[in-house]
């Protein structure tokens, strides 16, 4: 049995008929930019995220940049960010003219370590950017306390955690602003690049809404140096259709995660934490092993797809030469030992059985 890591054709199959109808309606509407589909999706996604405002933007990277720019921090002010994240979190801080301060995550859940946040705070710190990596929320009770005590903004990179909850909260305990990506592989994925900012802060929402459109509220009048980062009207139609099924998508993911966590029994594999199966969004199911090369050979032989999120940590990337000398041993252990198993809503029970049996025989 050959099992791909992810087939976007299969995950979009259940929506095919509705997406075709939406495309036909879109074509005949004649309204191709910032029309009623963007407005509808923004209203529905804000409600889904238990907050007041959603601003659709072109992608997740822009969502982060627009948030950071909106605070008008002074140039080179410091933003604390986990060292173990996708490159975009750190790139956004640099593109906003700020300085990323990388801190080590927890080895157990791969998320930013709150004691390390405290240690990294300096006179120059203006914000913490927490990242809900792999679909699991960070410890927002503690992170919010730290931010409030130190008067720091809390920005969340939720590109991987649509629908995740932490202590019944989807809004990260009232973080200042949360950035989403709807890149096609995400739990809520468009059919092209797309993203959003959600926030409970009306003034912040107004600024970001203006700045996604060149800094213009009134046609041909520019109040600030914004971006061209509008959410596509067509992608908003598609996203609105898929949003109605997001909870279903996440419960399928939770079901598979629960099966992996209870049925994979192999001392060579360290499984992710199982304490919040019904709160995590399970964007990725990431195991760790000291013998990754051998596991990769085995999975290839057995035709089971896998991926590595991510093989090179940001501070070792060629593009971030100024960070190459940082000593971040936990981040490096994570990047050397992780491997993502297939976990998506198009997997059928037989395939899940097969993955479990195969891994138990390894
Ligand atoms: C953690 C994280 N942050 C930011 C982004 C950037 O999103 P986009 O690719 O939509 O710009 C991604 C995308 O994969 C991501 O995984």
């Amino acid at each position: 049995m050959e099992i791909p890591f992810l087939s976007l054709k299969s995950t979009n199959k259940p929506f095919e008929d509705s997406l075709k109808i939406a495309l036909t309606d879109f074509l005949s509407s004649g309204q191709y930019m910032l029309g009623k589909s963007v407005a509808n999706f923004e209203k529905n996604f804000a409600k889904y995220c238990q907050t007041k405002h959603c601003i659709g933007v072109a992608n997740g990277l822009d969502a982060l940049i627009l948030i950071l720019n909106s605070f008008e921090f002074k140039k080179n002010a410091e933003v604390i960010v986990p060292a173990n994240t996708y490159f975009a979190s750190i790139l956004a801080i640099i593109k906003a003219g700020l300085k990323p301060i990388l801190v080590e995550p927890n080895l157990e859940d791969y998320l930013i370590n709150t004691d390390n946040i405290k240690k990294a705070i300096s006179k120059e710190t203006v914000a913490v950017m927490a990242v809900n990596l792999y679909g699991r929320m960070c410890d927002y009770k503690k992170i919010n306390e730290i931010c409030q005590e130190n008067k720091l903004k809390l920005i969340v990179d939720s590109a991987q955690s649509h629908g995740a909850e932490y202590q019944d909260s989807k809004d990260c305990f009232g973080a200042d602003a949360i950035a989403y990506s709807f890149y096609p592989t995400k739990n809520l994925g468009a059919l092209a690049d797309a993203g959003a900012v959600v926030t409970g802060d009306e003034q912040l929402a107004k600024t970001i809404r203006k700045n996604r459109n060149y800094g213009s509220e009134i046609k041909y009048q520019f109040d600030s140096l914004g971006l061209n980062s509008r959410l596509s009207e067509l992608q908003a139609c598609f996203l609105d259709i898929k949003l109605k099924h997001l909870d279903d998508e996440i419960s399928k993911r939770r079901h598979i995660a629960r099966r992996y966590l209870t049925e994979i029994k192999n001392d060579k594999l360290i499984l992710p934490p199982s304490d919040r199966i019904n709160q995590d969004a399970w964007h990725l199911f990431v195991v760790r092993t000291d013998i990754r090369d051998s596991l990769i050979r085995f999975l290839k032989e057995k035709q089971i797809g896998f991926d590595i999120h991510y093989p090179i940590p940001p501070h070792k990337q060629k593009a971030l030469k100024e960070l190459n000398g940082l000593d971040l041993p936990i981040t490096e252990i994570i990047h050397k030992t992780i491997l993502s198993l297939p976990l998506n809503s198009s997997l059928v029970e037989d395939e899940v059985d097969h993955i479990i049996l195969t891994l138990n025989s390894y």
Side-chain angles (χ1 to χ4, degrees):
M1 189 186 290
E2 188 175 347
I3 305 176
F5 176 68
L6 174 68
S7 155
L8 289 177
K9 207 170 141 188
S10 308
T11 52
N12 282 308
K13 187 93 190 139
F15 307 107
E16 218 171 84
D17 291 342
S18 331
L19 297 179
K20 280 182 186 159
I21 295 169
L23 176 61
T24 310
D25 290 350
F26 165 77
L27 273 175
S28 60
S29 76
Q31 170 83 60
Y32 302 139
M33 294 301 292
L34 296 187
K36 74 172 189 322
S37 300
V38 169
N40 281 342
F41 174 69
E42 288 178 339
K43 188 174 87 215
N44 295 333
F45 194 61
K47 189 166 170 220
Y48 183 84
C49 296
Q50 301 173 337
T51 187
K52 288 198 190 117
H53 309 280
C54 167
I55 306 102
V57 300
N59 54 64
L61 173 66
D62 280 2
L64 289 168
I65 295 174
L66 283 159
I67 294 170
L68 290 162
N69 284 344
S70 69
F71 291 118
E72 299 184 3
F73 295 130
K74 76 173 197 295
K75 203 166 163 38
N76 287 324
E78 295 178 357
V79 178
I80 295 172
V81 61
N84 177 45
T85 181
Y86 180 57
F87 185 68
S89 324
I90 292 162
L91 180 62
I93 297 172
I94 296 170
K95 290 281 180 195
L98 303 166
K99 188 174 173 196
I101 302 296
L102 276 57
V103 304
E104 288 272 56
N106 308 309
L107 185 57
E108 298 71 30
D109 66 4
Y110 314 118
L111 301 175
I112 195 161
N113 176 295
T114 50
D115 290 332
N116 291 338
I117 296 180
K118 285 187 205 158
K119 285 184 213 148
I121 295 173
S122 79
K123 286 202 304 292
E124 304 301 321
T125 312
V126 289
V128 172
M129 181 189 287
V131 183
N132 297 331
L133 202 69
Y134 308 150
R136 183 177 167 90
M137 288 250 196
C138 303
D139 187 350
Y140 286 108
K141 199 162 185 288
K142 274 202 200 136
I143 296 177
N144 263 283
E145 271 168 27
I146 298 171
C147 287
Q148 272 164 25
E149 264 168 35
N150 295 280
K151 299 193 170 40
L152 305 176
K153 297 291 179 194
L154 174 56
I155 297 158
V156 177
D157 180 343
S158 191
Q160 302 189 1
S161 60
H162 319 67
E165 286 184 5
Y166 171 77
Q167 298 192 3
D168 293 330
S169 156
K170 276 203 180 92
D171 77 341
C172 308
F173 271 50
D176 289 284
I178 308 179
Y180 283 92
S181 162
F182 305 116
Y183 185 76
T185 57
K186 304 299 184 197
N187 286 12
L188 178 59
L191 303 189
D193 276 312
V197 174
V198 305
T199 178
D201 181 331
E202 194 170 343
Q203 189 50 46
L204 197 70
K206 211 165 167 264
T207 305
I208 292 173
R209 198 172 289 287
K210 185 171 72 177
N211 285 340
R212 73 161 172 200
N213 188 32
Y214 286 108
S216 172
E217 261 172 340
I218 299 169
K219 202 172 176 187
Y220 302 137
Q221 192 175 305
F222 302 96
D223 303 338
S224 53
L225 300 175
L227 304 178
N228 174 2
S229 185
R230 298 173 286 232
L231 171 62
S232 137
E233 183 74 3
L234 178 60
Q235 296 311 318
C237 298
F238 291 162
L239 286 166
D240 218 22
I241 290 168
K242 294 180 78 176
L243 177 60
K244 295 185 182 71
H245 303 273
L246 180 56
D247 281 339
D248 192 33
E249 164 78 32
I250 293 171
S251 40
K252 285 182 185 154
R253 287 173 178 271
R254 287 180 180 153
H255 169 73
I256 299 168
R258 183 177 301 105
R259 288 207 56 198
Y260 284 166
L261 287 166
T262 50
E263 295 175 48
I264 295 177
K265 297 198 186 302
N266 188 322
D267 292 346
K268 300 184 197 78
L269 304 179
I270 301 167
L271 302 182
S274 57
D275 57 329
R276 290 197 229 144
I277 297 180
N278 289 328
Q279 281 85 50
D280 293 358
W282 298 104
H283 174 55
L284 294 168
F285 191 92
V286 177
V287 299
R288 283 203 307 114
T289 175
D290 291 332
I291 44 170
R292 186 168 70 187
D293 288 346
S294 139
L295 178 62
I296 287 175
R297 279 195 298 277
F298 176 76
L299 291 172
K300 280 186 180 160
E301 188 187 299
K302 301 289 179 189
Q303 299 187 304
I304 293 179
F306 64 90
D307 206 337
I308 293 173
H309 299 90
Y310 299 93
I312 307 174
H315 73 284
K316 293 289 177 198
Q317 296 286 351
K318 203 167 138 192
L320 296 174
K321 285 212 171 59
E322 67 283 14
L323 305 180
N324 285 178
L326 290 179
D327 181 30
L328 296 162
I330 296 175
T331 300
E332 285 171 34
I333 290 173
I334 290 173
H335 285 258
K336 279 185 194 130
T337 55
I338 46 169
L339 181 137
S340 310
L341 296 175
L343 191 160
N344 59 74
S345 56
S346 70
L347 281 181
V348 296
E349 290 293 313
D350 275 358
E351 290 173 319
V352 179
D353 288 344
H354 182 70
I355 293 169
I356 293 168
L357 279 173
T358 309
L359 285 168
N360 286 349
S361 74
Y362 169 63

